[in-house]
Amino acid sequence: MTSAVSDSAADDARGASTGTGTAKDAPSPGPVRDAAGRNGKAGRKALLAATVGGVVESFDWTIYAVLAPFFAAQLFPGDDPVTALIGAYLGFAVGFVVRPFGSYVMGRISDSRGRRFGLTLSMAIISAASVLIAVLPTAAAIGTAAPVLLVVLRLVQGLSMGGENPSAAAYVTETAPRGLRFLYSAISYSGVVIGNILSFGVLTLLLATLGRDGVTDGGWRIGFLLAAAFGLLALWIRRSAEESEEFTEQAASGPATTSAGRRALYRAGARNIAAVFMISVGGTIGYYFGTTYLPQYAAQLGVASDTESSATMLLPLLALIAAMVGVGRLADRLGALRTLRAGVGLLALATVPLMTALAHRALPMWAVTLVYLLLIAAPIGLANVLFAQLFPVAVRVVAMGVPFTVATGLFGGTFPLLAQTLGKAGHLTLVPWWAAGAAVLAFLGTFVIRLPDRDNRPA
């Protein structure tokens, strides 16, 4: 039976035989520790620090997408509302374009200065940019400078967010007890889903209290102010979290890995880097379709209004969190790779039938949303820690983060823009096929992964 990818220190020790381990000049790994040897309180603090960061990152990113139809006309000049919305979604997409660069820059900081330092720095930048978006003047006041400044701020956020998710994945990998790593992975990534829930909850509350006109006339700014407030809370929580023991031990074991050593590690892990990219394509398109664009998709189909479809998202997102926790526990027992493969396989098979049923009103919006979100539980709940454990500590954040953010930038960040463009051209029904094809690619990627050898596979 395929086991869960386990102790990351063992990855480094066995790297020569697996093609994913350390080069001769890389720091030697620390000793293998089990759950009994860990400080439980420190581990829970680390989990909370990683999870709350996911809440803020997701809220910041999703609140932009769900509020785009409301602020587009204010920040993008012109009389065509569809063109303005496409411009707003372009602002959503460009933040993803710089994520790979941010993943490398912020990842190098996290791999050299520590996970906690990298996570704190990225959160401070993300929060500051949210404040500036909230007070950004309209196009009527400053003309084309409004969309330009918005795009610049999204680029800044994209740079910081490029390092946030991989750093959090490495942090959880290095602090979670063995035997519970994928449960911790699911819990930490549930912060991303919680951020989505908060985003749709804020939108629903704004529409209920201010009305559509009130949100369009400036109520949307409240969403970005709340994003900044959540960021300050995350910074306060992260101040009390401890650095990863595994990172501390490898940093203390010798001089920093040289540039040649890092390149050797990247070359040794090339196959797993490719697998991370393939799986991330399917996961990110499924995630943004299911949690961000689906309300707009349903509205364009004419099966639900903006308010109805946004409110419909809340309960299915809560169910997604429960499903992620269940999948994480299952992966700890049966193996992460096998569980992930089953999840993306089902996603590939079910996407088009589900969305076809929605278009023909054979299933209600809430049922389609619920089933689809349950199907993405495995790829979004397991991938982070699975990816991190494929690479040695010295290059972990960069090696997993760059292919992940390249896939997210090219395919996840552009998904709402692509879907909106297809809809305007009269080809909205092609959107589910695009998502299903991405899931097929992710399924194939699970066969590309090369797992490190293990001495302690479960029976």
Side-chain angles (χ1 to χ4, degrees), residues 356-403:
T356 301
L358 177 64
H360 290 85
R361 300 178 185 268
L363 289 175
M365 170 69 176
W366 69 265
V368 171
T369 304
L370 177 62
V371 174
Y372 191 79
L373 292 187
L374 292 179
L375 289 173
I376 66 174
I380 68 173
L382 305 180
N384 266 5
V385 167
L386 175 61
F387 293 164
Q389 292 191 352
L390 297 176
F391 304 101
V393 175
V395 297
R396 176 168 286 157
V397 178
V398 173
M400 71 155 289
V402 171

Side-chain angles (χ1 to χ4, degrees), residues 25 43 60 98 232-233 336 387:
D25 59 345
D60 275 62
V98 296
L232 292 176
L233 175 62
F387 293 164

Side-chain angles (χ1 to χ4, degrees), residues 8-363:
S8 54
D11 293 356
D12 301 355
R14 299 181 179 89
S17 63
T18 64
T20 61
T22 59
K24 62 182 179 180
D25 59 345
S28 59
V32 177
R33 298 178 305 278
D34 59 20
R38 295 180 184 269
N39 186 320
K41 184 177 181 181
R44 288 190 293 273
K45 282 186 176 181
L47 179 61
L48 177 61
T51 304
V52 75
V55 173
V56 175
E57 177 190 3
S58 175
F59 185 86
D60 275 62
W61 220 245
T62 307
I63 201 68
Y64 180 98
V66 300
L67 288 176
F70 302 94
F71 67 70
Q74 284 205 334
L75 297 182
F76 289 82
D79 297 327
D80 183 4
V82 175
T83 301
L85 182 56
I86 290 176
Y89 281 143
L90 180 62
F92 182 76
V94 295
F96 285 93
V97 172
V98 296
R99 278 199 178 196
F101 180 70
S103 181
Y104 180 78
V105 173
M106 300 298 290
R108 284 291 306 277
I109 292 173
S110 185
D111 280 335
S112 60
R113 297 286 301 274
R115 316 308 190 202
R116 182 177 176 272
F117 180 86
L119 289 170
T120 302
L121 178 62
S122 63
M123 189 54 56
I125 296 174
I126 291 168
S127 301
S130 292
V131 172
L132 295 177
I133 292 175
V135 300
L136 189 64
T138 64
I142 60 174
T144 56
V148 170
L149 288 173
L150 178 65
V151 169
V152 169
L153 291 171
R154 292 295 290 175
L155 289 172
V156 170
Q157 284 190 319
L159 284 169
S160 299
M161 290 180 177
E164 168 69 26
N165 185 273
S167 295
Y171 193 43
V172 171
T173 300
E174 295 163 7
T175 57
R178 288 184 61 187
L180 294 176
R181 281 201 170 131
F182 291 99
L183 175 61
Y184 272 47
S185 174
I187 293 173
S188 66
Y189 208 81
S190 72
V192 175
V193 183
I194 293 171
N196 273 278
I197 293 173
L198 291 174
S199 298
F200 285 107
V202 167
L203 175 59
T204 302
L205 184 61
L206 288 175
L207 289 172
T209 56
L210 301 178
R212 187 176 182 86
D213 290 341
V215 176
T216 302
D217 291 340
W220 57 269
R221 298 180 186 273
I222 298 173
F224 292 102
L225 289 174
L226 286 173
F230 291 150
L232 292 176
L233 175 62
L235 282 172
W236 178 75
I237 291 174
R238 284 180 172 178
R239 286 185 59 189
S240 63
E242 298 178 3
E243 182 56 82
S244 153
E245 287 184 33
E246 193 170 333
F247 173 84
T248 301
E249 289 169 1
Q250 75 88 26
S253 64
T257 305
T258 65
S259 296
R262 286 193 297 271
R263 287 194 296 270
L265 293 175
Y266 299 143
R267 286 194 299 269
R271 176 169 172 165
N272 282 337
I273 288 173
V276 168
F277 175 82
M278 295 172 68
I279 297 169
S280 297
V281 169
T284 190
I285 287 180
Y287 176 77
Y288 282 104
F289 189 18
T291 64
T292 302
Y293 189 73
L294 192 52
Q296 186 70 15
Y297 180 76
Q300 288 187 69
L301 287 174
V303 299
S305 67
D306 288 342
T307 303
E308 290 170 343
S309 56
S310 296
T312 299
M313 295 296 296
L314 299 179
L315 287 179
L317 285 169
L318 288 173
L320 173 58
I321 294 176
M324 289 169 62
V325 172
V327 166
R329 199 70 189 100
L330 186 66
D332 281 321
R333 294 182 177 182
L334 301 182
L337 185 56
R338 173 173 290 183
T339 307
L340 175 63
R341 185 174 294 152
V344 293
L346 289 172
L347 183 64
L349 292 172
T351 296
V352 173
L354 275 174
M355 299 308 158
T356 301
L358 177 64
H360 290 85
R361 300 178 185 268
L363 289 175

